[in-house]
Amino acid sequence: MHRALKWLLFCCSVPFMFFSCGRGMKDGIFEGSGEGRNGPIEVAVLIENGEILGAKITEEHETAELGLAAEDEILQRVVNGEDISKIDAVSGATLTSNAVLEAVAEALNAARGKKKKKIIYQDASCDIVIIGAGGAGLAAATEAANKGAKVIVLEKMGIVGGNTNYATGGINASYTKEQKALGIQDSTDVFFNDTMAGGKNLNDPVLVRRMVDESAATVEWLESDLIGADLSDVGFFGGATNKRIHRPKGGKAIGEHLIPLLYKSAQKQKADVRLNNKVIEILSDDACTKATGVRVATADNEYTIKAKAVIIASGGFGANMQMIEQYKPSLRGFATTNHRGATGDAFDLVKKFDAELIQMEQIQTHPTVATGTGIMITEAVRGNGAILVNRSGRRFVNEMQTRDIISSAILSNPDGKAFLLFDQSVRASLNAIEFYVRQHLVVEGTSLKEVADKIGLPADELSETVEKYNAAVTKKLDSEFGRNAQSMERTLSKPPYYAIWVEPAIHNTMGGIKIDADTHVIAKNGNIVQGLFAAGEVTGGVHGSNRLGGNAVSEICVFGKIAADNALSYIGKKERVKNQGN
């Protein structure tokens, strides 16, 4: 969207480019740009007498619900004279906040006569080149660089994180010390069976077994001094037999917690992370059986990187509607939760190797996306006690079923939508809900009747539904829909009450490049492509026909780390680990 810059007329008379002694800044209107969730955010800052007189967004592409609050708060603090280096991002809107701060910093540097330094990359070489700086790419970079490899990470977008930035749930892991401390009995076998059942047994059991077996060790790796994640809160998600989704204390969204830590760790280990660098070709030997590097395009030039191994971690294609419709026409017209860079570029890059693509038609919708926004409402809201009701004020599904089943049930409602209903006890149990409140996605009422009136539901039916659900919670038996008792810890009896209007949207592409358990890319003839590895959503086979919530972060971290370790083994890199914290 575009928003006009509304300066007062007197601003036109401000001396432009005159020097002022104030903060060493010239007077005038100066512009800067930062990369937001959906594209550049451009800011204009008015300087008068060396002081910041005003600041406005001149162009941005964020959704109104996602961007406005963060933009306004950050700019107000800037105008109030706060040091931008000490302004924290608005919780739940980290990308937007950081983009605004980046844009303001660029504008202030322009006012000080400092030009943004342009980097012209030259041909180079390294041990391992990684395509994509999302969760899988950063996990691989951290592991490989920490073990002594020279690593270059190439990210086509202007920010790191990819879809992992928007991960709200957590990371699934079984038989962890956190589960044991909380008295949760779980096992890798149960985790394996849940994942296979959730994917309708279309999953590759070898990949699933590797993921679940490595999950607890991966959580410990993320919590180690190398990265420093907090995964102490363990909750319940759909399709799981036991509580196994690990997240920061208080239920904070996992993505905005984990990505900054992985990025900082990768940089600390001397991985060279390059933004706005798009890989346009994977280099190979003459027979196209071995990867030997990449060709890269930037806004200013093209260059090559020769590498001993290449790891593809570029994500899925959930934002490429042409591909979505090609593989699953029934999803035509659906919204998506994916970031705009999730366009499946890697599938063209691996054609020269005749790499096999599998299960490309397996595309998941997330059932609870705030209607018309693309903002996913984490499954943890339901896991902590919320229910789904239709326009009649009635429950219509087991809220902790797998995502495909719940999405289908919601789409079966006359309007294809539903309301997520919860009370103050659920809100207090999950920090992530505060973001939805700040984005004006939540309708609040002091009573069920007030909420019902505000969202247009019959109050008597809604009250009866909640009364029946509360009785089921008390009995720990949902005879109506069979909801798991572990996700029925709270009655909905503590006002205020809250509702969010939700609908399914494209969320995860579960098909992709075929890999083995060591993340080697597999060609159609069954051979591995030498020196070429892949991890994360760009691959297929782990999730089958339906991904369980919490398994995406498991997949990217487990297989990102495995890809690094096997790439290191392939190139014969056996240097001493630089940081013993892992």
Side-chain angles (χ1 to χ4, degrees):
M1 76 181 75
H2 296 272
R3 299 191 308 191
L5 181 62
K6 299 178 180 178
W7 299 106
L8 296 175
L9 290 176
F10 76 85
C11 292
C12 296
S13 64
V14 173
F16 194 72
M17 298 300 287
F18 277 65
F19 282 94
S20 167
C21 59
R23 301 179 184 176
M25 295 188 289
K26 306 169 187 178
D27 283 356
I29 299 173
F30 299 89
E31 297 179 337
S33 178
E35 189 74 14
R37 170 181 170 137
N38 296 326
I41 295 177
E42 296 183 6
V43 170
V45 179
L46 174 63
I47 308 295
E48 185 174 311
N49 296 323
E51 300 292 330
I52 298 174
L53 190 65
K56 293 284 184 179
I57 305 292
T58 58
E59 182 177 346
E60 47 97 354
H61 305 270
E62 311 298 87
T63 60
E65 293 82 2
L66 185 67
L68 289 177
E71 292 168 357
D72 291 345
E73 180 176 331
I74 295 294
L75 289 185
Q76 186 60 55
R77 295 178 69 177
V78 169
V79 173
N80 287 345
E82 293 188 42
D83 183 343
I84 63 171
S85 66
K86 298 180 180 178
I87 297 177
D88 292 329
V90 176
S91 179
T94 302
L95 297 182
T96 301
S97 302
N98 288 341
V100 175
L101 288 169
E102 180 185 356
V104 170
E106 184 175 302
L108 295 183
N109 281 334
R112 297 184 179 102
K114 298 180 180 179
K115 293 183 179 180
K116 188 174 183 179
K117 185 178 180 181
K118 181 179 288 189
I119 302 175
I120 304 296
Y121 292 103
Q122 304 296 328
D123 291 351
S125 63
C126 65
D127 292 321
I128 300 172
V129 66
I130 299 172
I131 306 172
L138 291 176
T142 297
E143 174 74 354
N146 183 51
K147 290 187 174 179
K150 181 180 179 182
V151 177
I152 297 177
V153 185
L154 302 165
E155 171 57 54
K156 72 174 184 179
M157 306 304 292
I159 53 176
V160 301
N163 273 342
T164 312
N165 280 319
Y166 319 121
T168 55
I171 175 172
N172 281 339
S174 59
Y175 206 61
T176 64
K177 66 180 189 301
E178 287 79 12
Q179 287 178 312
K180 296 171 188 176
L182 294 169
I184 300 167
Q185 294 188 0
D186 197 14
S187 71
T188 54
D189 286 342
V190 175
F191 186 6
F192 175 88
N193 292 335
D194 286 346
T195 299
M196 294 298 296
K200 307 296 187 290
N201 290 306
L202 293 179
N203 329 53
D204 181 335
V206 176
L207 294 181
V208 175
R209 174 54 67 183
R210 188 70 185 272
M211 182 180 75
V212 302
D213 285 351
E214 299 283 347
S215 64
T218 301
V219 165
E220 291 193 18
W221 179 72
L222 292 169
E223 292 175 324
S224 71
D225 291 341
L226 177 64
I227 298 167
D230 168 19
L231 300 171
S232 58
D233 189 327
V234 185
F236 189 86
F237 257 43
T241 300
N242 303 306
K243 289 184 176 182
R244 71 168 65 98
I245 191 160
H246 295 62
R247 56 204 180 192
K249 184 177 181 180
K252 182 180 178 182
I254 186 69
E256 68 174 14
H257 173 67
L258 196 55
I259 286 299
L261 293 173
L262 285 171
Y263 186 30
K264 181 179 179 181
S265 181
Q267 290 181 305
K268 186 177 180 181
Q269 305 309 315
K270 307 303 181 184
D272 182 358
V273 182
R274 302 179 179 184
L275 304 180
N276 297 306
N277 276 247
K278 181 178 180 178
V279 174
I280 55 176
E281 182 186 1
I282 299 175
L283 305 178
S284 68
D285 60 351
D286 292 339
C288 291
T289 59
K290 177 180 178 181
T292 60
V294 294
R295 189 159 60 94
V296 191
T298 71
D300 300 299
N301 71 323
E302 291 185 9
Y303 68 100
T304 62
I305 299 174
K306 293 182 179 179
K308 300 172 184 176
V310 177
I311 297 175
I312 305 172
S314 53
F317 59 97
N320 186 332
M321 292 313 300
Q322 184 176 354
M323 286 186 69
I324 292 289
E325 292 175 17
Q326 173 188 347
Y327 290 110
K328 198 165 187 177
S330 62
L331 293 178
R332 181 190 303 271
F334 271 57
T336 182
T337 65
N338 284 225
H339 80 111
R340 64 192 180 94
T343 51
D345 304 347
F347 304 128
D348 284 333
L349 297 178
V350 298
K351 283 182 178 178
K352 67 190 298 182
F353 299 100
D354 203 27
E356 185 170 0
L357 305 183
I358 61 172
Q359 300 182 339
M360 296 292 283
E361 76 285 355
Q362 300 299 339
I363 302 169
Q364 181 184 66
T365 58
H366 192 287
T368 57
V369 176
T371 299
T373 70
I375 300 175
M376 181 180 65
I377 308 301
T378 176
E379 200 166 313
V381 179
R382 285 174 280 136
N384 283 28
I387 61 173
L388 286 165
V389 298
N390 57 22
R391 284 287 183 186
S392 299
R394 302 292 187 183
R395 288 177 70 207
F396 56 91
V397 70
N398 171 357
E399 293 85 358
M400 299 314 298
Q401 265 289 4
T402 55
R403 290 173 174 178
D404 56 334
I405 292 175
I406 298 176
S407 291
S408 179
I410 292 175
L411 291 171
S412 296
N413 289 330
D415 60 354
K417 298 175 176 59
F419 287 97
L420 195 60
L421 185 76
F422 54 98
D423 70 348
Q424 182 59 33
S425 69
V426 175
R427 177 178 177 178
S429 73
L430 192 67
N431 178 271
I433 292 174
E434 301 312 308
F435 168 65
Y436 310 136
V437 173
R438 285 193 298 273
Q439 300 306 319
H440 308 292
L441 303 176
V442 182
V443 175
E444 178 179 344
T446 57
S447 65
L448 281 173
K449 184 180 186 311
E450 183 176 348
V451 166
D453 290 344
K454 285 184 175 180
I455 61 179
L457 301 187
D460 290 344
E461 282 79 358
L462 185 63
S463 294
E464 183 179 328
T465 294
V466 172
E467 184 178 340
K468 184 181 295 186
Y469 175 75
N470 287 344
V473 172
T474 301
K475 295 179 181 178
K476 294 297 181 187
L477 178 64
D478 179 17
S479 57
E480 191 172 15
F481 294 104
R483 179 165 169 159
N484 189 305
Q486 289 189 61
S487 69
M488 297 170 61
E489 295 180 333
R490 300 176 178 87
T491 59
L492 301 180
S493 54
K494 185 176 182 180
Y497 290 91
Y498 306 94
I500 304 176
W501 197 22
V502 297
E503 64 183 352
I506 295 162
H507 184 52
N508 189 261
T509 51
M510 295 163 293
I513 299 169
K514 185 175 182 179
I515 59 170
D516 63 17
D518 290 325
T519 71
H520 297 106
V521 171
I522 307 298
K524 291 177 183 177
N525 62 11
N527 295 332
I528 67 171
V529 180
Q530 295 293 323
L532 189 60
F533 304 84
E537 196 176 345
V538 75
T539 67
V542 175
H543 307 295
S545 69
N546 178 71
R547 179 177 66 79
L548 298 186
N551 273 1
V553 183
S554 301
E555 176 192 24
I556 62 177
C557 292
V558 168
F559 288 108
K561 186 171 180 290
I562 288 172
D565 288 336
N566 282 290
L568 287 165
S569 177
Y570 170 75
I571 67 177
K573 200 75 175 178
K574 299 180 180 179
E575 277 86 346
R576 181 177 60 86
V577 175
K578 293 191 295 183
N579 186 315
Q580 298 296 334
N582 68 336

